[in-house]
Amino acid sequence: MRGLVGGLLLVMVGTAAWAVDDGDRSAARATIERQLEAFKKNDPATAYAQAAPQIQSMFSSPETFLAMVEQGYKPVLHSRSYSFDKTEDAEGDQLAQAVMLQDDEGVDWMALYLLQKQSDGQWRITGCHLKKAPGTSA
């Protein structure tokens, strides 16, 4: 599992310097956690608020955003459990955060979140790449 995470992080962030500080790491994880908890509570407004403005502009409302997540990211929307793995610095004010999660059917997944630090200092999600964990059948 860690080999997959490391490989995906290298692909996603290229040859950027690995200089994420603890404050950024914690703030980015808190953003992801707010969104995952909002999904569990069926709170589309809070989940949508964690997305970067360029993502929000793609959806007419928090409910439309939630419908997209329901269609393409069910393991994220309906996670039974999750834990944070590696965090890597990307270019500029961006980072990649790996999250190991298990869906409500017990299938293990790896979500690679991409986040960007906004002008107000807040970290917001710019993307999520989802893959089944190695060795997972279902």
Side-chain angles (χ1 to χ4, degrees):
M1 174 67 75
R2 292 200 182 268
L4 173 67
V5 171
L8 282 172
L9 286 172
L10 285 174
V11 168
M12 296 304 302
V13 299
T15 59
W18 311 114
V20 175
D21 70 26
D22 288 341
D24 285 334
R25 185 176 292 111
S26 293
R29 287 180 177 181
T31 299
I32 295 167
E33 199 156 29
R34 277 190 302 275
Q35 188 175 69
L36 290 172
E37 292 302 316
F39 288 148
K40 283 184 182 181
K41 294 175 183 174
N42 195 27
D43 179 359
T46 299
Y48 180 77
Q50 307 318 303
Q54 62 265 39
I55 299 299
Q56 290 180 3
S57 71
M58 298 167 63
F59 302 96
S60 59
S61 69
E63 292 74 23
T64 315
F65 173 74
L66 189 64
M68 177 277 299
V69 175
E70 176 71 40
Q71 186 172 38
Y73 297 88
K74 281 186 183 181
V76 172
L77 186 62
H78 299 291
S79 63
R80 179 186 295 176
S81 64
Y82 61 88
S83 62
F84 292 101
D85 201 49
K86 293 185 178 206
T87 306
E88 301 294 349
D89 190 14
E91 294 183 23
D93 291 333
Q94 301 181 71
L95 59 80
Q97 172 66 60
V99 178
M100 314 319 284
L101 40 85
Q102 189 175 72
D103 67 20
D104 57 0
E105 296 177 5
V107 178
D108 293 326
W109 295 82
M110 195 279 294
L112 183 63
Y113 281 84
L114 305 175
L115 296 99
Q116 182 178 48
K117 195 171 195 176
Q118 304 301 300
S119 59
D120 64 1
Q122 299 297 310
W123 285 93
R124 294 295 176 244
I125 299 166
T126 59
C128 179
H129 301 277
L130 190 61
K131 287 192 160 230
K132 281 189 180 174
T136 300
S137 62

